[in-house]
Amino acid sequence: MSTSPSPSFPATSEAVRSAGATITTPAETGSTNADLLAAAPEQQHGSVLATLHQTAGRGRLDRTWTAPAGETLAASVLVRADLDDHDRGWLPLVAGAAMRDAIASVLPAGADVVVKWPNDVQVAGDKVCGILCQVAADGSVVVGAGVNLTIPADRLPTPTSTSLLLAGAVDDAPALADAVLSAFVRSVLEAVAGLVTGGPAAETVRSHVRAACGTIGRRIRLELPDGTVEEADATGIDDAGRITIRDQAGRTRGVAVGDVTHLRYAHDGMTAEPPPERVVARLRPHARRLVRPAVFVVLVTAAGGFGFGVFQAQLAWLNAVVALVVVVLVVFGGAVPLFRWMSERYVVTTRRLVVVNGLGTRTRRELLHSRGYDVTVRRRGLQGLFRSGDVLVFPGDDPAVVLADVPHADLVVAVLHDLVEAYEARRRHREPDWDEIVGGPDRPPWGDVRA
């Protein structure tokens, strides 16, 4: 390693140290993966080695990773967790999904950021990041990542590469590196914790990996290790983390190792790719939920105002009790329901359905329309009167996703149906009319749909 001044990663350092691990940031090194593999027995789970100048990096299938000095991030994270072989096989996919989220966080809203199975991250179809996982001598796993930060177009390593700068990021290389790496480390460690916990927590991690994978629903060219090449439709990711494909004879199987290329459907000389991902609607539960808490707060404050001050001087402490009771009732009867309502958010885009729950600690689930799913609406009580309802989305074998008490529930169901059908149309080599899907002449336009 070089002894020249090291780059600064303040946000990443905070994330790593909060996990009880250490971070090393050499100014230059041959390979962050090789360095961390050698040091693994003495390092804690979550330890990181990162640099902006890597001279001998390697990628999947032993490819060379070209990394111009000061314009790329090379980083490795040590994972030492009680994972069985099944869950350990998901680590490369988890890393790809975590990096996809980290990169999306520094790009303009609506940027088309996806994972090409198993873990290449692409922006608008061009590669911006590669992931390589290697097992250390002590059984821990080193998760390595290389990200193109500020490489200009004339110095990109391949014609199908891009950089965060070209994709719309605005910071310099050190700031981008720190922002991406800190988010990546947190996401990887959270996902690993979910896999270790198992049950619903692990299924949430796997569902997120599937949602982030842009290969699902695509026609692909698959090159196998024995040199065999075939074209097929990618239909999903199975429980072992393999990409499932349907070949031209209609047979379905899982593939564990292979080089995937996304193909474009052709139609009358035009590509049938959808336009860049855009938001169709942002939803919350119906605001009717807030009526009862609002009435409760009004009544409590009115009663408290009437009761406050009625006691004599010798019983003045009772006034303080009344005030305290009013505050407690307002918090639990008014503020808590408000925060709970604000914590539920649903976003429909031309590519995916995103369900976010929580304010401080958030859980996020994404469903790709290309995977296909069944959707229906359930109404109870006054929901029919207000045209709201619970939209139930059934994504195959995964647990159902519930969009609770959303306004205009029938419209939401209709648009989700049409978005799924649009991807089915791509499979049938027919160009979908995206403008008609998200707002045709017989359907009211929608953006922010609220009560």
Side-chain angles (χ1 to χ4, degrees):
M1 294 184 190
S2 171
T3 56
S4 56
S6 300
S8 175
F9 292 85
T12 305
S13 297
E14 180 181 354
V16 172
R17 288 165 185 156
S18 66
T22 58
I23 180 171
T24 305
T25 58
E28 177 184 338
T29 189
S31 166
T32 59
N33 261 31
D35 294 343
L36 195 52
L37 284 167
E42 291 79 36
Q43 297 294 322
Q44 298 297 317
H45 170 62
S47 293
V48 171
L49 196 150
T51 185
L52 299 186
H53 189 189
Q54 177 174 262
T55 60
R58 308 298 295 179
R60 289 183 61 247
L61 308 180
D62 204 34
R63 294 190 177 101
T64 299
W65 177 267
T66 303
E71 297 174 342
T72 60
L73 166 67
S76 300
V77 182
L78 183 68
V79 174
R80 180 181 288 111
D82 186 18
L83 297 172
D84 57 27
D85 291 340
H86 173 267
D87 288 333
R88 182 172 292 211
W90 277 84
L91 281 179
L93 285 75
V94 163
M99 184 57 79
R100 179 262 170 199
D101 294 344
I103 287 173
S105 71
V106 301
L107 295 182
D112 183 20
V113 188
V114 300
V115 178
K116 179 172 74 70
W117 185 90
N119 50 27
D120 283 349
V121 181
Q122 297 182 330
V123 180
D126 293 327
K127 182 174 178 178
V128 72
C129 170
I131 305 283
L132 176 64
C133 295
Q134 296 177 287
V135 180
D138 65 348
S140 58
V141 178
V142 172
V143 179
V147 184
N148 296 335
L149 298 173
T150 56
I151 307 177
D154 60 350
R155 292 210 300 271
L156 289 171
T158 70
T160 56
S161 300
T162 189
S163 67
L164 298 184
L165 172 69
L166 297 176
V170 295
D171 283 325
D172 58 16
L176 286 173
D178 191 32
V180 168
L181 184 55
S182 60
F184 175 65
V185 170
R186 288 191 176 95
S187 294
V188 167
L189 297 183
E190 289 174 3
V192 169
L195 293 176
V196 171
T197 301
E203 284 306 313
T204 298
V205 172
R206 297 187 187 100
S207 294
H208 181 61
V209 168
R210 293 183 176 109
C213 182
T215 303
I216 298 173
R218 298 289 297 262
R219 173 65 64 109
I220 63 172
R221 182 173 67 248
L222 180 64
E223 183 175 352
L224 300 175
D226 62 1
T228 303
V229 178
E230 64 178 300
E231 291 188 12
D233 292 322
T235 59
I237 297 175
D238 66 16
D239 287 341
R242 302 178 302 175
I243 190 73
T244 57
I245 64 170
R246 182 174 57 247
D247 62 24
Q248 295 180 358
R251 296 183 297 264
T252 300
R253 73 181 193 274
V255 177
V257 180
D259 196 19
V260 169
T261 301
H262 290 172
L263 301 180
R264 294 177 181 267
Y265 287 121
H267 178 71
D268 295 335
M270 301 293 289
T271 61
E273 293 292 316
E277 183 176 18
R278 56 192 174 104
V279 174
V280 177
R282 303 180 190 274
L283 308 168
R284 289 189 191 275
H286 201 286
R288 182 186 68 255
R289 286 189 177 188
L290 301 178
V291 172
R292 184 179 299 176
V295 172
F296 178 80
V297 169
V298 170
L299 293 177
V300 167
T301 53
F306 176 78
F308 186 78
V310 300
F311 300 102
Q312 301 299 322
Q314 60 271 27
L315 297 176
W317 61 272
L318 288 176
N319 290 324
V321 172
V322 170
L324 179 61
V325 170
V326 169
V327 170
V328 170
L329 291 176
V330 167
V331 168
F332 286 96
V336 170
L338 173 62
F339 289 139
R340 185 181 296 118
W341 178 80
M342 293 175 59
S343 71
E344 299 181 53
R345 300 178 297 286
Y346 318 117
V347 181
V348 180
T349 77
T350 51
R351 186 172 181 271
R352 74 189 79 211
L353 167 64
V354 182
V355 179
V356 181
N357 292 296
L359 289 175
T361 302
R362 296 183 179 181
T363 60
R364 177 187 177 101
R365 186 172 180 185
E366 298 184 5
L367 296 178
L368 292 175
H369 306 313
S370 60
R371 289 189 60 199
Y373 48 74
D374 295 323
V375 58
T376 186
V377 64
R378 177 183 64 196
R379 286 190 169 92
R380 297 172 294 184
L382 296 176
Q383 288 180 331
L385 179 63
F386 290 93
R387 294 189 299 170
S388 64
D390 300 331
V391 174
L392 308 178
V393 183
F394 300 94
D397 295 332
D398 291 337
V401 175
V402 180
L403 281 58
D405 197 24
V406 293
H408 308 287
D410 290 329
L411 179 58
V412 174
V413 169
V415 170
L416 291 177
H417 270 304
D418 288 350
L419 289 167
V420 171
E421 177 60 27
Y423 280 91
E424 289 297 327
R426 288 178 58 206
R427 294 190 182 96
R428 296 192 296 269
H429 296 197
R430 178 171 62 82
E431 176 75 44
D433 187 340
W434 293 93
D435 288 329
E436 180 180 353
I437 290 168
V438 300
D442 298 326
R443 174 173 295 143
W446 52 314
D448 288 328
V449 178
R450 304 179 189 274

